[in-house]
Amino acid sequence: MKKGLRNSLYVGLAALSLSAFSSMGVNAKTKANHQTKQVQKNVKKTTKTNKVTAEYSPLKVSTDYAYVKPTGIVTMFNKPGRLGNAKVVASKHRMKQLANSNSPKDIFYVYEMAKTNSGLYYAKMVTLGGKYRGWIYAGKNDFSKDLTKIEKGTGVVATSPLRYAKMPKNKKGYHVTSSLWTTPNYSRINSKELDFNKKEYAKDTFKIESAVSNTQGWVYYYVVDEQHPKINGWAFHGGVKSKYVAKKKAPAKKDNKQQKKTPAKKQTNNQPKVDNNDDITDGKTPKNEQPKQANGYTLKFVDQSTAQVVAQQTMGVNDLTNTTNAYPTANTSTIAKYLPKDYGFNQSGNAVFASGNVANGGQAIIYVAKNPTINSVKLNLRIFDNTGAANPVNMNTNGTNSILNAQQELSDMHIMQGSVITTAQIQKVLSDNGLLVVPSTNGSANFAYTDAGLVQGSNPVVNVYYR
């Protein structure tokens, strides 16, 4: 900006010199005023040229892996800070408090990314408790597909709201007195409380299939009603009680005085002390209670309507990768190719329940449903302009026919409702029909990304973006 101002002054001075030769009658005051106006005019023009703009794009990370903790060294604004006139949502001091918090409500969910024309990236996020929502600086790396790409020393760092917890030795015969959730409360952005009448099922017994703990160490069990399998969900461990264990403990107190004279003492010594109450855990990662497959990752497919396992298979950890996820992850994109025949992902809430990183011995529970195939797919081709807005691509007649052919090719794949349309599939049909490059006002634009994903409904719409 200083260089532009200096050049502007040179131009102004040259103009004044010419004016002096042509009109010697102009007084010094008039020359000074003219010089000031000329400088102000050029300063405004230079400022306009250096205006900061931003391009916005949705995050492509699964909701299982789209969580971060603040570092406490950056302020949160209502828009990317470099755009100007940004208002503070949470001060640096408040962000530091959130960084030191163990409350699951203070974990952030990231759902949008912005890149400024100066090459800086910002993340838009909201706390799981819903109190804070805004933009924060995230460095100079594109993190739209992987939050671990966020540059160190910026405003946030990737984290996991859940980790495996210790399973009780006894896994059956429990009574549930707490609410049931689609996912443990404040562990996912879309965690919802299920319609569960505790009194109606008070006499039913439940089995425990999985255990996780959140950032505060609260343990949740995934429970299934043994009499009515359709009743299932995540329950806080304090509301999962075992009357069987309680009855076993009662006589031990009565026989306490006679332990020296009867074999009861040996029996008592052989009973595990830590696990007397099977509904209480210490939140530590178990050594022997995780899936037994030591050399692979297990996918367990459960029919949402019956709560019955319809398929189960174990594969290598590295098999759970694709073009949009270069590192092993358990989500709808990487699991789609393993769906049982005639099944798609359940569409009500999250379909994949995976805690922690994908590793040998781990397991994911995937809820599936028998769904019909789609009727058609509509492709909306959109191109980014200089302001970051995504406008419809103007195609000629041949281009329009190519879009229709691409849409028909997708329909012919017999994609099932509840399954996933992958970016690779979209790229293939675009390539087959010459649509990886489209016309633009500047000549042409190349394929950038698509919002293809979980198929909901019989006529899904997929946006394809070019830049």
Side-chain angles (χ1 to χ4, degrees), residues 87 116 316 423 446:
K87 296 180 180 179
T116 67
T423 299
N446 297 315

Side-chain angles (χ1 to χ4, degrees), residues 286-325:
K287 294 182 180 179
N288 301 316
E289 299 299 332
Q290 295 306 316
K292 295 180 180 179
Q293 294 81 4
N295 297 317
Y297 191 82
T298 301
L299 301 180
K300 187 175 182 180
F301 297 93
V302 178
D303 190 318
Q304 179 68 28
S305 62
T306 64
Q308 300 299 310
V309 177
V310 296
Q312 180 172 316
Q313 59 178 308
T314 302
M315 69 284 300
V317 168
N318 291 329
D319 291 336
L320 292 174
T321 61
N322 59 22
T323 55
T324 58
N325 294 280

